[in-house]
Amino acid sequence: MSAPTVDHRGPEFAGLARRVLEALKPVFGTAGPVVVYPSSGTGAWEAALVNTLSPGDRVLCFETGHFATLWRDMAESLGLEVEFVPGDWRHGASPEAAAQRLDADISHDIKAVCVVHNETSTGVTSRVPEIRAALDAAGHPALLLVDTVSSLGSIEYRHDDWGVDVTVTGSQKGLMLPPGLGFNAVSDKALTAARTSRLPKSYWEWGPILDANEAGFFPSTPATNLLYGLDEALLMLAEEGLEQVWARHARHAAATRAAVRGWGLEVLCADEREHSGSLTAVLLADGQDADAVRKIVLERFDMSLGTGLGRLAGKVFRIGHLGHFNDLTLAGTLAGVQMGLELAGIPVGRDGIAAALDHLRVD
Amino acid sequence: MSAPTVDHRGPEFAGLARRVLEALKPVFGTAGPVVVYPSSGTGAWEAALVNTLSPGDRVLCFETGHFATLWRDMAESLGLEVEFVPGDWRHGASPEAAAQRLDADISHDIKAVCVVHNETSTGVTSRVPEIRAALDAAGHPALLLVDTVSSLGSIEYRHDDWGVDVTVTGSQKGLMLPPGLGFNAVSDKALTAARTSRLPKSYWEWGPILDANEAGFFPSTPATNLLYGLDEALLMLAEEGLEQVWARHARHAAATRAAVRGWGLEVLCADEREHSGSLTAVLLADGQDADAVRKIVLERFDMSLGTGLGRLAGKVFRIGHLGHFNDLTLAGTLAGVQMGLELAGIPVGRDGIAAALDHLRVD
Amino acid sequence: MSAPTVDHRGPEFAGLARRVLEALKPVFGTAGPVVVYPSSGTGAWEAALVNTLSPGDRVLCFETGHFATLWRDMAESLGLEVEFVPGDWRHGASPEAAAQRLDADISHDIKAVCVVHNETSTGVTSRVPEIRAALDAAGHPALLLVDTVSSLGSIEYRHDDWGVDVTVTGSQKGLMLPPGLGFNAVSDKALTAARTSRLPKSYWEWGPILDANEAGFFPSTPATNLLYGLDEALLMLAEEGLEQVWARHARHAAATRAAVRGWGLEVLCADEREHSGSLTAVLLADGQDADAVRKIVLERFDMSLGTGLGRLAGKVFRIGHLGHFNDLTLAGTLAGVQMGLELAGIPVGRDGIAAALDHLRVD
Amino acid sequence: MSAPTVDHRGPEFAGLARRVLEALKPVFGTAGPVVVYPSSGTGAWEAALVNTLSPGDRVLCFETGHFATLWRDMAESLGLEVEFVPGDWRHGASPEAAAQRLDADISHDIKAVCVVHNETSTGVTSRVPEIRAALDAAGHPALLLVDTVSSLGSIEYRHDDWGVDVTVTGSQKGLMLPPGLGFNAVSDKALTAARTSRLPKSYWEWGPILDANEAGFFPSTPATNLLYGLDEALLMLAEEGLEQVWARHARHAAATRAAVRGWGLEVLCADEREHSGSLTAVLLADGQDADAVRKIVLERFDMSLGTGLGRLAGKVFRIGHLGHFNDLTLAGTLAGVQMGLELAGIPVGRDGIAAALDHLRVD
């Protein structure tokens, strides 16, 4: 085509594609391939399942929050049998529960363990290495599939070192792009599983994509503009340095928790080892209406706080601190929350933002 | 989230989504719903199949070119049985062959007829209304699924009037956006079929999307930026008027064919009723190398012509004339082709562009 | 020219130009013409002088700060005689001093009074209506020329009601554009003076510009892209409403002063009637280094505070709060200043930002 | 200021400013300084005059077209005495006439010679080196001031080698930016003249600007965004190479003249040594209406041709081929002109564009 859009079959685009596919690897912490789809992160969930599993396969999931529940639902829709470890939405996936289920599965019916690394609905980060350790301790061959939609590029994550088989993510959080790209980082073991997987697939099938990627192409039209944006975003991440990016998010998360405690409120995440670096969910007391706070903050300060999803509706609001975010943006965000809480009739005083600034100034 | 990307759960986005979903309908020529995916057009092919069909179902496809062949391959990958009407890649889907196959299918084993409206690899536009007539004449209940990736918004198309059940398209051609959105316009009959379809599905499933769309939302993260762009593109189409857009493309296509004939070359499309409004494939003589022409045009004039795909490799090049395109862009494009042909040692004289300008000036 | 830049002699541009020239008037508070130059605000200073005055003419200026001093220097360079009322850089132009000088000028040698409405170097806003009253009380025919570079579109200003003859401004502050446009709003009296003015002029001459503007054109190439931007900026101002814009700035200025006082520091502006709505200069104590604070804030928080200009070097830093600015941006800005002061060894405690938030929340 | 616009007093901007001011020099062909103004090219005309001349000084100008006449008018407005060598608007400044006037000026009353290098109204390029030779042959000390608004960065030009004292240009032609920047390249002799020049000046005064530029700053607010754009434009020019840019324009100009002759029409420029590389003016026969052609081309093909200015009104139209322009854009442009001429009832046949393509293909 001589049309003005980027020619995704031409040499210029192929150079970009190869560069991007290579530069993605260190962000996932892998030496293996990363598959890129024009899709949401939800599409990349589906890709992880249909490439590795067969109808009726058993998968182990953890009820860590709203998104873990949605992934469970998807697995069932696709014809898989899900063993769902119940949870209270304040903790990550339990390594102890994982160990128990895997030890009990002597016949190795469980083909995959699905973990949401950072639950966007709760601000809880699961301890993936400990889940891996549970698999290893049990000598269990199940694949480890991990959703990193709201952690990759924000919170420490290591696909290879942690022995993950498929890492799922999207473009719109830590990669600082608009939504529209889904990703699968894929281990050798996952590629082997793909050879015998029998769930029907075509669009999501890794094989033809990886083959075409060799030459810098894609079997179906790629989302060219987002790939150009990704090229720049990966450069920015590399310039700041991944460890620095993780540290920045951890620091902002700590300052945010200092503010929440300064307000006399509770952080939803109940385990000090599992605080999220990319967002903080704030749990209000009985009788307090989180959505009323959100409404006031939106109307008065034009800032959109995350709503409580699923069973947390009305009880929590969520403060995001990921992507392009510096100390003063965080200070402005926390100022908006503090004023909004007061305006909603929740007396929080002046200590919240003061504590956050003490943290940011000193740390 | 308080992050700077568009909040796709907020009221502002919901207003946009509802407006876009409504404004899409006239472009497809339908009063029914249009489903939008973050995906390529290929994803929308898969959506059309998995929502309506069940494992082992028989579908009737036509070998009209490269993309029809890819769609056939997809159907097979998903576990469908494909009856593939052979073709010479110079004609559209044959209404006569369709009639014959449908008449012969007394037991109604064929569950869907798949037609690529405008074959991007050949510049041939199938006569969809005549396929519909064949179905009707046979009294056959099969669904009619039509790919309009390179025709919608460029070439006359009428989902409802032509009795199409699922119309598939993408964002990157007639809708003048970057790639990244896939679409399904869906008839009542298709919705009914979806209720009993048994191909596994989750990401592509129409039901939850249509339910969420009622309130202006999506079950998984939408490609927000492309939806904002779509809002503007639909406004532009509406301002120019769909009939005017179709006429403009037809006029540019006629001028392009005048140039091809002025050069003493052959238009690949062999049926006057089936010339594409959005692109023209030019067939070279034996011993002439289309890729050599393309290479010269790219290097000397920085213009990327479409390559010959599949069995047409090296034999044709393709001139696109869709999207943002005016008379002078076309004239420049044809001038580049004319000079490139001469430089490649294919003597074409001066009559090609002259004939095209005569057409553009008078018509 | 068929080049792709905007054709500034074509009908499309003429429509834009007429619309912009009309929409500028209410922003200045005038029914008369506004002249637009491709220039900085400094160029518009020169335009005001060379269009109205003759070599050797006497003008009355006030030493309100750095920019008033620069304007004085310009007048002298152009061959005018300047009577410069001394000042302490903490007050606006003194109506009392003006009255005294004008009363004393029985022979009406003073041809123009020049006032900087909002001194960007000090954050002091002169009381222009009281200067007008002094002229009227003295029955003095001098022109009143007012610089509104950092006030127009931010702080209450009324060219006609206040009897101003030439209002000077630029594009880069309240009009929220990049720098590159200079403006003169011109009274009938100023136009009359222009007829006999003898300072040499060509580029700045109002007459040919006003003549060409009638048809939507300019005698020399206009800064087309900035005029397109101006069209949008004027629409934004009109949508919010000028009174609302003024109120927003006044509210942010008051919150900023609350913070400064909460830190135990001094606002440079010494008269409650003269606080600037668009910026606040903070005066440090002897021995404290304002530039050290600025350096820390830039390095640690990537925020650029205004430096102390001229005689204020090292003693003040300036906090801007104009243009696109909302409550949370201000809160972030003040948080950065508070942390920067502490880090620079100026102990300011927690009361500054707390006081600002109290103000923003309640007001 | 903490405002979001670029801080033009900060270290980042200073780095940009120094880089741009250095990179401008080779484009002018000078080792000396280049002064940049927020202004149109017309402003830079005024700067050249007021910095070097005194009231009543005599300057020698040439009536080469509309813009030369406007510059003459400006000189008179500023109080200079102009000797205006008459011309027919089809030739450049006459070296013979220059020699004659300079030889006759035994008392050296002429203080400056003003030449428009490329007359945008006629498409004629004056032979500046021959004017220089005339000055040298006469042993005349007058300054040589040259307008390169529509030639710099498009047509061969060498400030130092050609002994020019002030080169005037703007941002909107060969520098491929929006209008809004004016430039003066300045010789040592011009700087010396500036010390004794007595025309009043402040905004345009070179001295304070050159002083501030040393440190990367400007005495009044610079047009920051255009300077960022200039940084990129200068990189693009350097990448293509100035000689290559000149050759590209010359080649497009030759192809355009081939088209004009193929149409049986006349190029306005009457001297083969003086054809412009950046635009071509086409002279119609008596009874033919150039503005009717322009109107048709604008309405039918959305292309804006240059109008006949001043005494050429209605008799010529102008085809621009400068800045971002490739072979196919030129072909499209010429196709639009050819069709427009036919539609206007001026029968031009098919040989025009054919001749242009022959030229572009072979050369």
Side-chain angles (χ1 to χ4, degrees):
Chain A
M1 299 289 91
S2 50
T5 49
V6 178
D7 176 15
H8 65 89
R9 295 178 207 277
E12 193 209 331
F13 180 77
L16 168 88
R18 273 193 302 247
R19 186 169 63 245
V20 162
L21 292 169
E22 201 57 36
L24 276 168
K25 293 179 181 181
V27 179
F28 287 85
T30 186
V34 179
V35 178
V36 184
Y37 300 101
S39 78
S40 66
T42 305
W45 273 353
E46 182 159 318
L49 299 174
V50 299
N51 273 288
T52 54
L53 300 168
S54 298
D57 275 357
R58 175 169 288 269
V59 298
L60 179 65
C61 299
F62 301 84
E63 190 200 359
T64 51
H66 183 66
F67 290 98
T69 305
L70 289 179
W71 202 7
R72 187 267 319 259
D73 294 348
M74 170 182 273
E76 289 180 350
S77 293
L78 293 171
L80 301 168
E81 280 205 34
V82 180
E83 191 170 334
F84 201 45
V85 180
D88 68 356
W89 294 42
R90 300 191 67 178
H91 293 81
S94 161
E96 295 75 21
Q100 182 193 349
R101 305 287 175 131
L102 292 164
D103 287 341
D105 180 36
I106 302 167
S107 54
H108 294 173
D109 285 345
I110 294 173
K111 300 303 181 196
V113 176
C114 298
V115 177
V116 174
H117 182 221
N118 185 61
E119 248 294 346
T120 312
S121 63
T122 64
V124 177
T125 303
S126 285
R127 290 164 281 150
V128 173
E130 299 186 27
I131 303 290
R132 173 76 265 165
L135 277 156
D136 292 346
H140 198 291
L143 297 165
L144 177 56
L145 315 183
V146 180
D147 166 342
T148 63
V149 166
S150 59
S151 60
L152 196 90
S154 306
I155 301 175
E156 182 180 5
Y157 186 78
R158 305 178 187 275
H159 177 91
D160 286 358
D161 290 353
W162 294 355
V164 179
D165 293 302
V166 188
T167 298
V168 170
T169 200
S171 51
Q172 75 272 22
K173 303 268 183 183
L175 297 176
M176 300 166 292
L177 293 171
L181 294 179
F183 302 85
N184 277 182
V186 180
S187 73
D188 282 344
K189 188 172 161 188
L191 287 172
T192 303
R195 278 192 226 118
T196 52
S197 146
R198 284 176 294 100
L199 274 173
K201 55 192 145 288
S202 170
Y203 185 71
W204 307 116
E205 196 177 2
W206 293 335
I209 299 173
L210 291 174
D211 288 348
N213 282 178
E214 293 284 318
F217 297 113
F218 291 86
S220 88
T221 311
T224 46
N225 291 42
L226 285 172
L227 289 171
Y228 276 94
L230 181 57
D231 193 29
E232 289 182 36
L234 291 171
L235 205 64
M236 285 173 62
L237 278 180
E239 274 176 9
E240 186 173 354
L242 209 49
E243 308 259 348
Q244 282 69 33
V245 171
W246 296 339
R248 175 164 54 83
H249 285 86
R251 183 168 159 270
H252 284 167
T256 302
R257 291 195 300 276
V260 174
R261 285 156 188 166
W263 295 325
L265 298 176
E266 198 172 354
V267 173
L268 181 65
C269 175
D271 187 324
E272 278 301 316
R273 296 168 299 178
E274 298 181 337
H275 284 305
S276 166
S278 54
L279 80 142
T280 300
V282 180
L283 180 63
L284 297 187
D286 284 349
Q288 294 175 338
D289 181 352
D291 286 332
V293 176
R294 291 180 54 247
K295 188 161 182 288
I296 284 169
V297 170
L298 182 61
E299 287 172 5
R300 275 291 296 267
F301 306 115
D302 197 23
M303 178 168 73
S304 179
L305 294 168
T307 187
L309 294 167
R311 66 151 84 163
L312 298 172
K315 296 181 185 160
V316 312
F317 62 83
R318 292 173 298 134
I319 302 170
H321 32 75
L322 89 172
H324 293 294
F325 224 75
N326 63 27
D327 286 10
L328 304 192
T329 322
L330 180 66
T333 298
L334 297 176
V337 174
Q338 180 170 309
M339 290 190 285
L341 286 162
E342 284 280 351
L343 289 166
I346 302 176
V348 294
R350 300 168 150 206
D351 289 342
I353 187 144
L357 296 188
D358 282 349
H359 191 94
L360 291 174
R361 193 185 69 241
V362 173
D363 188 13
Chain B
M1 298 292 92
S2 51
T5 49
V6 179
D7 177 15
H8 66 88
R9 296 178 206 275
E12 192 209 332
F13 181 78
L16 168 89
R18 274 193 301 247
R19 183 168 68 244
V20 162
L21 292 169
E22 199 58 35
L24 276 168
K25 293 180 181 180
V27 179
F28 286 85
T30 186
V34 178
V35 178
V36 185
Y37 299 101
S39 79
S40 65
T42 305
W45 273 354
E46 183 160 317
L49 299 175
V50 299
N51 273 287
T52 55
L53 299 168
S54 298
D57 275 358
R58 176 170 287 267
V59 298
L60 180 64
C61 298
F62 300 84
E63 188 199 1
T64 51
H66 182 66
F67 290 97
T69 305
L70 290 179
W71 202 8
R72 187 267 318 255
D73 294 346
M74 170 183 272
E76 289 180 349
S77 292
L78 295 171
L80 302 169
E81 279 203 37
V82 180
E83 190 170 336
F84 200 45
V85 179
D88 68 355
W89 292 41
R90 302 191 64 178
H91 292 82
S94 162
E96 295 74 23
Q100 184 192 346
R101 306 285 177 130
L102 293 164
D103 287 341
D105 180 37
I106 304 167
S107 54
H108 292 173
D109 284 343
I110 295 172
K111 300 303 179 196
V113 176
C114 297
V115 177
V116 173
H117 183 221
N118 184 62
E119 247 295 347
T120 312
S121 63
T122 64
V124 177
T125 304
S126 285
R127 290 162 281 149
V128 174
E130 299 188 29
I131 303 292
R132 172 79 264 164
L135 277 157
D136 293 347
H140 198 293
L143 296 165
L144 178 55
L145 314 183
V146 180
D147 166 340
T148 64
V149 166
S150 61
S151 60
L152 195 92
S154 306
I155 302 175
E156 182 179 4
Y157 187 79
R158 305 178 186 276
H159 178 92
D160 286 0
D161 289 355
W162 294 357
V164 179
D165 293 301
V166 187
T167 297
V168 170
T169 201
S171 50
Q172 76 271 26
K173 305 268 183 185
L175 297 176
M176 299 167 294
L177 292 171
L181 294 179
F183 302 86
N184 278 181
V186 181
S187 74
D188 282 345
K189 188 171 160 188
L191 287 173
T192 303
R195 276 190 231 122
T196 53
S197 147
R198 284 176 294 100
L199 274 174
K201 57 192 146 284
S202 170
Y203 185 71
W204 306 116
E205 196 176 3
W206 292 337
I209 299 173
L210 292 173
D211 288 349
N213 283 177
E214 293 285 319
F217 297 113
F218 291 86
S220 88
T221 311
T224 47
N225 290 44
L226 285 171
L227 290 170
Y228 276 94
L230 182 57
D231 193 30
E232 289 181 36
L234 291 170
L235 204 65
M236 285 174 61
L237 278 179
E239 273 176 9
E240 184 173 354
L242 210 49
E243 309 257 347
Q244 282 69 31
V245 172
W246 297 339
R248 174 164 54 82
H249 284 85
R251 183 169 160 271
H252 284 168
T256 301
R257 291 194 299 276
V260 174
R261 286 155 188 166
W263 295 325
L265 298 175
E266 200 172 351
V267 172
L268 180 66
C269 175
D271 188 324
E272 279 300 316
R273 297 168 298 180
E274 299 182 336
H275 284 305
S276 167
S278 53
L279 81 141
T280 300
V282 180
L283 181 62
L284 296 187
D286 283 350
Q288 294 174 337
D289 181 353
D291 286 333
V293 175
R294 292 178 54 248
K295 188 160 180 288
I296 285 169
V297 170
L298 181 61
E299 286 172 5
R300 275 291 297 267
F301 306 116
D302 197 23
M303 177 168 74
S304 178
L305 294 168
T307 187
L309 295 167
R311 66 152 81 165
L312 298 171
K315 295 180 185 161
V316 311
F317 61 83
R318 294 172 296 134
I319 303 169
H321 32 74
L322 86 171
H324 292 295
F325 224 75
N326 64 26
D327 286 11
L328 303 192
T329 322
L330 181 65
T333 297
L334 297 175
V337 175
Q338 179 169 308
M339 291 189 284
L341 286 162
E342 284 280 351
L343 288 167
I346 301 175
V348 294
R350 301 169 149 204
D351 288 343
I353 188 144
L357 296 189
D358 282 349
H359 191 93
L360 291 173
R361 191 184 70 242
V362 174
D363 188 13
Chain C
M1 298 292 91
S2 50
T5 49
V6 179
D7 176 14
H8 65 90
R9 296 179 204 276
E12 192 209 332
F13 181 77
L16 168 88
R18 274 193 301 248
R19 183 169 66 244
V20 162
L21 291 169
E22 200 58 35
L24 276 168
K25 293 179 181 180
V27 179
F28 287 84
T30 185
V34 178
V35 179
V36 184
Y37 300 101
S39 78
S40 65
T42 305
W45 272 354
E46 182 159 318
L49 300 174
V50 299
N51 273 288
T52 55
L53 300 167
S54 298
D57 275 357
R58 176 170 286 269
V59 297
L60 179 64
C61 299
F62 301 85
E63 189 200 359
T64 51
H66 182 68
F67 291 97
T69 306
L70 290 179
W71 201 8
R72 186 267 319 256
D73 294 347
M74 170 182 272
E76 289 180 349
S77 293
L78 294 171
L80 302 169
E81 280 204 35
V82 180
E83 191 171 335
F84 201 44
V85 180
D88 66 355
W89 293 42
R90 301 191 64 178
H91 292 82
S94 161
E96 295 73 22
Q100 182 193 345
R101 308 284 177 131
L102 293 164
D103 286 341
D105 180 36
I106 302 167
S107 55
H108 292 174
D109 286 342
I110 294 172
K111 300 302 178 198
V113 176
C114 297
V115 177
V116 173
H117 183 221
N118 185 62
E119 248 294 347
T120 312
S121 63
T122 64
V124 177
T125 304
S126 285
R127 289 163 282 148
V128 174
E130 298 186 30
I131 303 291
R132 174 77 264 165
L135 278 156
D136 292 347
H140 198 291
L143 296 165
L144 178 55
L145 314 184
V146 180
D147 165 343
T148 64
V149 166
S150 60
S151 60
L152 196 91
S154 307
I155 302 175
E156 182 179 5
Y157 187 79
R158 306 177 185 277
H159 177 92
D160 285 0
D161 289 354
W162 294 356
V164 179
D165 292 302
V166 187
T167 297
V168 170
T169 200
S171 49
Q172 75 271 23
K173 305 265 184 189
L175 296 176
M176 299 167 292
L177 293 170
L181 294 178
F183 302 86
N184 277 182
V186 181
S187 74
D188 282 345
K189 188 172 164 188
L191 287 172
T192 302
R195 278 193 228 120
T196 53
S197 146
R198 285 177 293 99
L199 274 174
K201 57 192 146 285
S202 170
Y203 185 72
W204 306 116
E205 196 176 4
W206 292 337
I209 299 174
L210 291 173
D211 288 350
N213 283 177
E214 293 285 319
F217 298 113
F218 291 86
S220 88
T221 311
T224 47
N225 290 45
L226 285 171
L227 290 170
Y228 276 95
L230 181 57
D231 193 29
E232 289 181 37
L234 291 170
L235 204 65
M236 284 173 61
L237 277 179
E239 273 176 9
E240 184 173 355
L242 211 48
E243 309 258 348
Q244 281 70 33
V245 171
W246 296 339
R248 174 163 56 81
H249 285 85
R251 182 169 160 272
H252 284 167
T256 302
R257 291 195 300 277
V260 174
R261 286 155 187 165
W263 296 324
L265 298 175
E266 200 173 351
V267 172
L268 180 67
C269 175
D271 187 323
E272 278 301 315
R273 296 167 298 179
E274 298 181 336
H275 284 306
S276 166
S278 54
L279 81 142
T280 300
V282 180
L283 181 62
L284 297 188
D286 283 350
Q288 294 174 340
D289 181 351
D291 286 332
V293 175
R294 291 179 56 248
K295 188 159 180 288
I296 284 170
V297 170
L298 182 61
E299 287 173 4
R300 275 290 298 267
F301 306 117
D302 197 25
M303 179 168 73
S304 179
L305 294 169
T307 187
L309 295 166
R311 66 152 81 166
L312 298 172
K315 295 180 185 161
V316 312
F317 61 83
R318 294 172 296 134
I319 302 169
H321 33 74
L322 88 171
H324 293 294
F325 224 75
N326 64 26
D327 286 10
L328 303 192
T329 321
L330 181 65
T333 298
L334 297 176
V337 175
Q338 179 169 309
M339 291 190 285
L341 286 162
E342 284 279 353
L343 289 167
I346 302 175
V348 293
R350 300 169 150 203
D351 288 343
I353 188 143
L357 296 188
D358 283 349
H359 192 95
L360 292 174
R361 193 184 68 242
V362 173
D363 188 14
Chain D
M1 297 290 92
S2 51
T5 49
V6 179
D7 177 15
H8 65 88
R9 294 179 208 275
E12 192 209 334
F13 181 77
L16 168 87
R18 275 194 301 247
R19 186 170 63 242
V20 162
L21 292 169
E22 199 59 34
L24 277 168
K25 294 178 180 181
V27 179
F28 286 83
T30 187
V34 179
V35 178
V36 185
Y37 300 101
S39 79
S40 66
T42 305
W45 273 353
E46 183 159 316
L49 299 174
V50 300
N51 273 288
T52 55
L53 300 168
S54 298
D57 275 357
R58 176 169 287 268
V59 297
L60 179 65
C61 298
F62 300 85
E63 189 199 359
T64 52
H66 183 66
F67 291 97
T69 305
L70 290 178
W71 201 9
R72 188 267 319 257
D73 294 348
M74 170 182 274
E76 290 180 351
S77 293
L78 293 172
L80 302 169
E81 280 205 36
V82 180
E83 190 170 335
F84 200 45
V85 179
D88 68 355
W89 293 41
R90 302 192 63 178
H91 292 82
S94 163
E96 295 75 22
Q100 185 193 345
R101 307 285 175 131
L102 293 164
D103 286 340
D105 180 36
I106 302 166
S107 55
H108 293 173
D109 286 345
I110 296 173
K111 300 301 181 198
V113 176
C114 297
V115 177
V116 173
H117 182 222
N118 185 61
E119 248 294 346
T120 312
S121 64
T122 64
V124 177
T125 304
S126 286
R127 289 164 282 148
V128 175
E130 299 187 27
I131 303 291
R132 174 76 264 166
L135 277 154
D136 293 345
H140 198 291
L143 296 165
L144 178 56
L145 314 184
V146 180
D147 165 341
T148 64
V149 166
S150 60
S151 61
L152 196 90
S154 307
I155 301 174
E156 183 180 4
Y157 186 78
R158 304 176 187 276
H159 178 91
D160 285 358
D161 290 353
W162 295 356
V164 179
D165 292 304
V166 187
T167 297
V168 170
T169 201
S171 50
Q172 75 273 24
K173 305 267 184 185
L175 297 177
M176 300 165 293
L177 293 170
L181 294 179
F183 302 85
N184 277 183
V186 181
S187 74
D188 282 344
K189 189 172 162 188
L191 287 171
T192 303
R195 279 192 227 120
T196 53
S197 147
R198 284 178 291 100
L199 275 173
K201 55 191 147 287
S202 170
Y203 185 71
W204 307 115
E205 195 176 4
W206 294 334
I209 299 173
L210 291 174
D211 287 349
N213 282 178
E214 292 285 318
F217 297 114
F218 291 86
S220 88
T221 310
T224 47
N225 291 42
L226 285 171
L227 289 171
Y228 276 95
L230 181 55
D231 193 30
E232 289 182 36
L234 291 171
L235 204 65
M236 285 174 60
L237 278 178
E239 274 176 9
E240 185 174 355
L242 211 49
E243 308 258 350
Q244 283 69 33
V245 171
W246 295 339
R248 174 163 55 82
H249 285 85
R251 184 169 159 270
H252 284 169
T256 301
R257 290 195 300 276
V260 174
R261 286 156 187 165
W263 295 326
L265 298 175
E266 200 172 350
V267 173
L268 180 66
C269 175
D271 188 323
E272 279 301 315
R273 296 168 299 179
E274 299 182 335
H275 284 305
S276 166
S278 54
L279 80 142
T280 300
V282 180
L283 181 63
L284 296 187
D286 283 351
Q288 294 174 340
D289 180 353
D291 286 333
V293 176
R294 290 180 55 249
K295 187 161 181 286
I296 284 170
V297 170
L298 182 61
E299 288 173 4
R300 275 291 296 267
F301 306 115
D302 196 24
M303 179 168 73
S304 179
L305 294 168
T307 187
L309 295 167
R311 65 152 81 165
L312 298 172
K315 295 179 185 161
V316 312
F317 61 83
R318 294 173 295 134
I319 303 169
H321 32 75
L322 88 172
H324 292 294
F325 224 74
N326 64 27
D327 286 9
L328 303 192
T329 322
L330 180 67
T333 298
L334 297 175
V337 174
Q338 180 169 307
M339 291 190 284
L341 286 162
E342 283 280 351
L343 289 166
I346 301 175
V348 294
R350 300 169 152 206
D351 289 342
I353 188 146
L357 296 189
D358 283 349
H359 191 94
L360 291 174
R361 193 184 68 241
V362 173
D363 190 11

